[in-house]
Amino acid sequence: MSLFQTVKQFRCSNCGGEITLVNTRTRYVGCQYCGSVADARSEAHQVITKLNEPSKFPPRSFVKLGMTAVFDGVKHQVIGRTCWKSTYKEYWSEDGESGYSDETWTYDEWVLMSEHRTYFYLIEDAEGYAISQSIVPANPNRPAQSVEKMRNFNSNASERIQEHGHSEVTYFEGESTYLIRLGDNVHFAEYRQTRSYIVETRLGKDAQPKEIEFFVETPVARRNLLAAFAGNPEVDAILQRRAENRANARFWQRVFGVASLVFFALLAYSLGSGREVYTQSFSIPMAPDSNSISDTPQLFSLVQPFELKPGVVRMVMRADMPANSDTWVGLELRDQKGEVANVLEDTFFQESGTEYWQEDGESGWESWEESEREKEQYYRVDEPGVYTGKLYVIPNAKGNTQVEFTVRQVNMLSRYYLTVFLVCVLVFLVLAVAAYSYR
């Protein structure tokens, strides 16, 4: 599918491949079948130079010669590609130190011509895509001799050069208004703000600047680029697959989301319920003399023997006491050898009252209540047997305290529920990321 009418069509004089031109200004054409560069304006279309084999430089992704795209409502067509290899220095800064490291990089530069016969470049490399547009800066300049600083194209402020070096041509195909030869190179320097600003210099035979151009590069996401190239059969197939993959990911995301909720509910039920093994209530009398209350816990009662089987048990201690008072209660759980297997302790309290408030010209009394009346703990039983215990207390100075101690054998499926729940959550998150990536 071509946006423009064909202005010339002929066969490559080297390999016989069919070449079609759409740009009236094209002077040279790189054959995508054999790598020859031919004179497009001569009658014989003679080969002027030979580049590398096209098989060594396949397109990196879906972008191909002849494809059409729409950017900012304007139709464009891909008419050329130049492959470059850069040798450059890149600025780095870490732990208070900085400098420039030697780097190499390769990238493709696609030429897109609009329906208005204007141009821009699509840069494609291993990290993604960027749109490169030629600009006429208010403050055109090249780096100083130190090659570390240059002036901002617009504000004239000093800018740190992030990269500088040179790029040379390794392959070319499509249409060009100037002759492109293997090894042609440009020197460049780049500084960055929200976008990258680049100055490119082509040197003449005397090593003096022959041509200077300025560019601004704006990154573009792959999904946005696919949307721009929609309408090309190859791209439509990719978009269709992405839509199907997104729909599948969302479907399974919902499935595993529901599964996560189900197994979370089962896990909560298995941990919060279970067979009651033992329960005992204690009535702790008020301290006879509040002035003589010691901070040292006192043995109050023995816990009656009960049998536990291997697995997980849930021990719960609940206390009820008079308002605005507290009671410390501790329970030692002992195994059949008389050794302490677990300890459950806490300071239980129940506070309430009223307080005066005033704000923004209004005032009044409000009631408040705060309490800590229950303590629970999970304990793993490895050895079955008969267990007992001792209850220690620091009596309440304001009244009697009622304490209830309960032991439940937790459903052993809780470990299975927990494992499946975590797996479902992990798969749900992976599918959520996948669905997002297929946008």
Side-chain angles (χ1 to χ4, degrees):
M1 181 176 62
S2 177
L3 175 62
F4 304 99
Q5 291 184 347
T6 300
V7 297
K8 185 177 290 188
Q9 192 170 13
F10 57 91
R11 292 191 177 276
C12 175
S13 56
N14 181 60
C15 70
E18 188 172 293
I19 296 176
T20 300
L21 306 183
V22 297
N23 185 8
T24 57
R25 298 171 57 194
T26 295
R27 296 187 59 186
Y28 304 95
V29 60
C31 179
Q32 59 184 310
Y33 307 106
C34 68
S36 299
V37 177
D39 184 346
R41 294 190 176 183
S42 69
E43 291 296 328
H45 307 302
Q46 67 265 27
V47 174
I48 297 176
T49 186
K50 188 78 165 59
L51 301 178
N52 287 317
E53 291 295 327
S55 59
K56 296 180 181 179
F57 297 89
R60 294 173 181 264
S61 63
F62 61 89
V63 185
K64 305 287 190 303
L65 283 179
M67 279 188 170
T68 58
V70 177
F71 291 91
D72 296 327
V74 179
K75 296 178 181 179
H76 294 75
Q77 182 170 328
V78 180
I79 64 170
R81 174 173 70 121
T82 305
C83 300
W84 299 86
K85 179 180 179 180
S86 294
T87 302
Y88 63 100
K89 293 185 178 295
E90 183 175 25
Y91 179 76
W92 61 270
S93 177
E94 185 177 14
D95 297 331
E97 297 183 352
S98 62
Y100 285 88
S101 59
D102 294 321
E103 307 289 343
T104 59
W105 194 250
T106 61
Y107 65 93
D108 290 356
E109 182 182 73
W110 297 92
V111 183
L112 281 78
M113 184 172 69
S114 78
E115 57 187 315
H116 307 306
R117 304 287 173 170
T118 57
Y119 305 88
F120 77 81
Y121 301 96
L122 177 65
I123 308 300
E124 180 181 8
D125 58 25
E127 293 184 349
Y129 307 89
I131 291 177
S132 178
Q133 294 175 303
S134 178
I135 60 173
V136 179
N139 178 47
N141 71 100
R142 298 169 59 211
Q145 291 184 351
S146 63
V147 200
E148 292 184 2
K149 298 283 187 177
M150 62 186 298
R151 297 194 306 279
N152 188 291
F153 293 163
N154 298 311
S155 67
N156 203 31
S158 178
E159 299 284 355
R160 164 71 64 184
I161 293 178
Q162 298 296 322
E163 295 179 6
H164 67 87
H166 73 275
S167 300
E168 64 178 46
V169 174
T170 56
Y171 177 72
F172 164 72
E173 63 180 7
E175 304 181 43
S176 175
T177 57
Y178 63 93
L179 180 60
I180 300 177
R181 298 179 184 273
L182 196 65
D184 286 351
N185 69 82
V186 296
H187 290 257
F188 69 90
E190 172 184 338
Y191 72 87
R192 297 177 191 145
Q193 292 179 324
T194 55
R195 298 183 292 176
S196 295
Y197 293 85
I198 303 166
V199 54
E200 290 186 357
T201 306
R202 298 178 186 272
L203 302 181
K205 294 181 180 180
D206 56 357
Q208 294 300 313
K210 181 176 66 173
E211 182 181 4
I212 300 177
E213 291 185 277
F214 301 89
F215 298 91
V216 57
E217 286 187 6
T218 306
V220 56
R222 187 173 189 270
R223 64 176 180 273
N224 294 336
L225 202 61
L226 284 168
F229 277 88
N232 297 279
E234 302 94 327
V235 176
D236 288 344
I238 294 175
L239 292 173
Q240 179 63 28
R241 287 195 300 270
R242 288 174 67 87
E244 293 172 355
N245 291 337
R246 182 169 62 251
N248 290 334
R250 286 179 173 174
F251 170 77
W252 288 109
Q253 182 188 1
R254 288 192 292 269
V255 169
F256 279 92
V258 172
S260 299
L261 295 175
V262 170
F263 280 100
F264 178 78
L266 291 172
L267 175 64
Y269 176 77
S270 66
L271 293 175
S273 61
R275 180 176 60 87
E276 185 177 295
V277 175
Y278 169 82
T279 186
Q280 185 175 349
S281 298
F282 306 90
S283 180
I284 304 172
M286 179 180 67
D289 183 0
S290 60
N291 295 323
S292 64
I293 294 178
S294 172
D295 291 335
T296 303
Q298 306 171 16
L299 176 63
F300 175 74
S301 178
L302 298 178
V303 176
Q304 296 176 3
F306 58 92
E307 184 177 359
L308 289 179
K309 296 180 180 180
V312 179
V313 296
R314 177 173 176 257
M315 301 189 301
V316 181
M317 186 185 295
R318 180 178 176 83
D320 289 299
M321 75 259 349
N324 299 314
S325 66
D326 60 79
T327 304
W328 182 90
V329 183
L331 186 142
E332 286 183 349
L333 183 67
R334 296 178 177 267
D335 60 21
Q336 52 193 355
K337 298 178 183 178
E339 298 177 351
V340 177
N342 203 3
V343 175
L344 185 65
E345 62 176 303
D346 204 354
T347 298
F348 300 95
F349 65 90
Q350 184 171 328
E351 303 286 345
S352 62
T354 58
E355 63 180 357
Y356 182 77
W357 63 271
Q358 185 174 5
E359 186 177 8
D360 297 332
E362 298 183 0
S363 62
W365 291 86
E366 65 178 1
S367 299
W368 61 271
E369 183 175 326
E370 185 178 2
S371 65
E372 181 68 54
R373 300 169 59 190
E374 185 173 288
K375 173 77 172 181
E376 71 172 12
Q377 193 162 308
Y378 290 90
Y379 168 60
R380 181 178 179 82
V381 179
D382 295 319
E383 296 292 334
V386 177
Y387 287 71
T388 184
K390 295 181 179 181
L391 189 73
Y392 294 87
V393 301
I394 297 178
N396 193 315
K398 293 188 178 181
N400 297 344
T401 300
Q402 301 297 320
V403 175
E404 182 180 75
F405 175 60
T406 304
V407 180
R408 291 181 177 273
Q409 195 89 37
V410 176
N411 190 339
M412 288 299 292
L413 287 175
S414 60
R415 291 181 297 177
Y416 166 76
Y417 293 148
L418 176 61
T419 301
V420 177
F421 167 71
L422 293 176
V423 171
C424 288
V425 170
L426 178 61
V427 175
F428 173 84
L429 294 175
V430 171
L431 290 171
V433 173
Y436 179 83
S437 66
Y438 288 129
R439 290 189 307 160

